[in-house]
Amino acid sequence: MTQPLDQIHTNPFDDDKLREECGVFGVIGTLDAANFTALGLHALQHRGQEAGGIVSHDDEQGFNSVRRFGYVRDSFTNAKVMEQLPGDLSIGHVRYSTAGSKGNTAIRDVQPFFGEFAMGGAAIAHNGNITNAIALRKELIERGSIFQSSSDSECIIHLMARSLQQNIPQRMEDALRRVEGAFSIVAMTQTQLIGVRDPLGVRPLVLGKVGEGWALSSETCALDIIGAEFVREIHPGEMVVITAKGVESIYPFRPARPRFCVFEHIYFSRPDSILGGRSVYETREAIGRELAKESPVDADLVCPVPDSGTPAAIGYSFESGIPYAMGIIRNQYMGRTFIEPSEQIRNMGVRLKLNVNRALIRGKRVILVDDSVVRGTTSRKIKEMILDAGAAEVHFRIASPPTAWPCFYGVDTPQREKLLAATMTEEEMRQHLTVDSLKFISLNGLYRAVNGADRDNAQPQYCDACFSGDYPVIPTDQIASGFQMKAAE
């Protein structure tokens, strides 16, 4: 019997981070393509830990699909499972829900989704969020569509089914023109691997070459694990259709000024990935340097909040000249240790996954560098641990601007009133966290670190809505539900 998802992988001590929705991967033109896909999904596990799925196609057996709860390693390293996925064409998906039944995912919500059309079958895996999904779903149901999941991504399959276009890539184009929000998509037919990014390019998607075949991935780190050569990023608004003949590039959408998610640089992507031609690690280190320039403080040690604060802490240390130290040690094996924590264990909070290096911290003025503050719950617990270990002072330096607005483009964000920065000034947050000082990098400082120039307020280079309230795509469903947009300045 499958355990309920909230008893398997929900981590009750890690609820103060923004969560990326998912990662997508696909490969064509290799033997045992599903094995490559499983490896790629393993490298993308940080983008979603709730569930994963793989679809493959074989000329003799046709389409095959396996969807499982939990980590990739728990299911897709099993030889019997992988034997169910033959063929030289495969796509896969790892999920962390932002739409649908959050925290209570049903197996029917797990992607990739499959549809059988007059011209053959197609499977689709989607990273992002459709901001007009409720309106689309209502329209489609009224016209006779029968939905099998609670996922916004299923709308794309139904829109494709209703299209009058002659082939699947054209039907996908037709469907995606109705969709608002953010989408990076990897899809497959019997003979084609398809990749698409929305016109703003909010979420990432890259192309790689693996032997005589090709791969599509949310990040370059997944190409590395299968020995693929990184070719290029899929451009915003581009569709690539890959067959045995090669890669065909199409631009089916009206051109728009790109607005890539800046939080991919700060937190979501793995530090060993490449974004915009630059190492994510190098960008995060540059953010730390800029943070040190903007918000210096006299202290004895610079310590990261592991693991996401590490590159920024190294940059802060380099720029400030204050020694870097591992003042907090992460328990790397926390994930499956406590499946159903008792109340006593639950009250231990972050101590189950983080432990203070007491001998190092005692008597020191400590700068803690973290990537973000969302609700502030974890930050308070970490501060208490540092003080309990005998620190003389605790100074927080945050490698992102204050997160004051929810994301509607593929990130699991609390309601606005639960975001600390939505209701408090920086000084009020400092008092709430009871630390000696608290400073966030400025929005212009972030842009300088990532892009080399201040933010162009008239035409921002990135999607930074979670900081600025400047939404590049109107969140139609949210507004219909009462969400108040930021007033024009």
Side-chain angles (χ1 to χ4, degrees):
M1 177 177 165
T2 303
Q3 287 179 284
L5 187 67
D6 58 358
Q7 294 180 12
I8 300 177
H9 286 291
T10 299
N11 188 337
F13 318 116
D14 201 17
D15 64 349
D16 200 26
K17 294 291 182 186
L18 301 182
R19 292 284 172 239
E20 172 61 273
E21 181 187 11
C22 54
V24 294
F25 192 88
V27 66
I28 187 172
T30 65
L31 292 174
D32 300 319
N35 287 311
F36 284 92
T37 297
L39 287 169
L41 294 180
H42 179 73
L44 298 173
Q45 188 76 85
H46 60 288
R47 300 184 77 89
Q49 297 91 48
E50 282 191 356
I54 295 176
V55 174
S56 71
H57 183 270
D58 175 72
D59 289 340
E60 293 183 4
Q61 297 188 30
F63 287 95
N64 290 281
S65 174
V66 175
R67 296 183 286 179
R68 295 285 189 273
F69 290 130
Y71 295 132
V72 174
R73 68 171 185 242
D74 295 335
S75 298
F76 296 105
T77 54
N78 184 303
K80 290 184 178 179
V81 170
M82 300 312 294
E83 286 171 2
Q84 300 173 45
L85 296 165
D88 64 355
L89 175 54
S90 172
I91 66 170
H93 184 277
V94 285
R95 170 188 172 91
Y96 184 94
S97 61
T98 67
S101 304
K102 294 183 184 179
N104 191 26
T105 302
I107 197 68
R108 64 178 179 272
D109 295 322
V110 180
Q111 298 185 42
F113 292 132
F114 179 79
E116 193 72 59
F117 305 103
M119 66 288 295
I124 184 170
H126 167 216
N127 173 23
N129 221 44
I130 298 172
T131 57
N132 64 334
I134 294 174
L136 284 175
R137 191 183 186 99
K138 182 175 182 292
E139 174 192 325
L140 288 162
I141 289 173
E142 287 175 351
R143 294 186 178 186
S145 293
I146 299 173
F147 279 75
Q148 301 297 315
S149 76
S150 65
S151 172
D152 62 334
S153 308
E154 192 184 350
C155 288
I156 300 170
I157 289 285
H158 288 281
L159 289 169
M160 289 172 64
R162 302 191 73 84
S163 171
L164 300 178
Q165 297 298 321
Q166 297 303 304
N167 61 52
I168 287 171
Q170 289 174 351
R171 286 192 173 208
M172 187 174 293
E173 290 179 35
D174 211 15
L176 294 176
R177 289 192 186 103
R178 297 285 318 278
V179 166
E180 298 171 6
F183 53 85
S184 279
I185 286 170
V186 170
M188 61 181 281
T189 69
Q190 296 177 15
T191 59
Q192 300 164 316
L193 178 65
I194 303 168
V196 196
R197 283 181 80 188
D198 69 74
L200 299 181
V202 177
R203 306 253 71 86
L205 189 65
V206 299
L207 174 68
K209 191 82 171 70
V210 51
E212 296 301 311
W214 298 88
L216 292 168
S217 175
S218 290
E219 292 183 40
T220 61
C221 63
L223 300 179
D224 296 337
I225 199 173
I226 66 168
E229 174 192 357
F230 169 57
V231 176
R232 65 175 178 87
E233 295 183 3
I234 304 302
H235 299 137
E238 181 184 15
M239 171 185 281
V240 292
V241 181
I242 309 172
T243 64
K245 296 178 181 179
V247 180
E248 178 188 6
S249 176
I250 307 163
Y251 288 86
F253 310 108
R254 183 177 300 171
R257 190 176 182 87
R259 295 286 296 273
F260 182 64
C261 172
V262 75
F263 223 105
E264 291 280 357
H265 288 286
I266 298 167
Y267 176 69
F268 295 138
S269 296
R270 263 180 39 171
D272 51 335
S273 285
I274 305 294
L275 290 178
R278 186 181 184 188
S279 158
V280 173
Y281 179 93
E282 291 178 0
T283 299
R284 290 177 186 166
E285 187 181 295
I287 292 171
R289 289 178 182 271
E290 191 66 35
L291 185 56
K293 293 175 186 176
E294 289 190 346
S295 302
V297 62
D298 288 333
D300 303 304
L301 296 175
V302 177
C303 300
V305 176
D307 291 317
S308 55
T310 300
I314 291 171
Y316 195 103
S317 173
F318 281 157
E319 184 65 33
S320 65
I322 300 171
Y324 170 90
M326 294 297 292
I328 303 173
I329 308 301
R330 185 181 183 93
N331 175 8
Q332 300 292 346
Y333 304 99
M334 166 66 191
R336 296 298 297 273
T337 306
F338 299 102
I339 294 178
E340 292 184 84
S342 66
E343 188 62 29
Q344 182 180 4
I345 290 174
R346 192 180 293 272
N347 288 337
M348 293 179 186
V350 294
R351 295 177 189 273
L352 285 166
K353 67 168 185 170
L354 300 175
N355 192 43
V356 176
N357 190 341
R358 288 176 172 270
L360 188 69
I361 292 295
R362 188 175 296 114
K364 300 294 197 305
R365 298 169 299 169
V366 179
I367 300 170
L368 290 177
V369 180
D370 204 354
D371 59 83
S372 60
V373 173
V374 182
R375 296 180 180 90
T377 52
T378 301
S379 299
R380 291 191 70 170
K381 292 172 184 175
I382 290 171
K383 177 267 307 183
E384 291 165 3
M385 290 167 57
I386 294 290
L387 289 177
D388 287 348
E393 297 176 4
V394 179
H395 303 272
F396 264 110
R397 293 296 179 267
I398 309 302
S400 66
T403 303
W405 296 86
C407 174
F408 302 122
Y409 307 131
V411 178
D412 185 27
T413 316
Q415 293 177 332
R416 185 158 193 254
E417 56 269 22
K418 294 182 180 179
L419 295 169
L420 210 61
T423 57
M424 296 184 185
T425 65
E426 190 175 89
E427 173 58 21
E428 287 170 340
M429 283 189 276
R430 185 198 68 76
Q431 294 176 15
H432 175 76
L433 297 175
T434 60
V435 291
D436 293 280
S437 72
L438 168 69
K439 295 292 180 181
F440 295 81
I441 194 169
S442 68
L443 193 53
N444 278 332
L446 173 62
Y447 269 75
R448 287 193 295 270
V450 174
N451 199 52
D454 285 357
R455 184 181 192 264
D456 181 347
N457 293 329
Q459 295 182 316
Q461 304 95 309
Y462 295 95
C463 176
D464 54 28
C466 53
F467 309 131
S468 66
D470 179 2
Y471 290 94
V473 180
I474 300 299
T476 305
D477 290 340
Q478 296 296 325
I479 290 173
S481 299
F483 176 73
Q484 296 291 317
M485 296 276 285
K486 182 179 179 180
E489 296 180 353

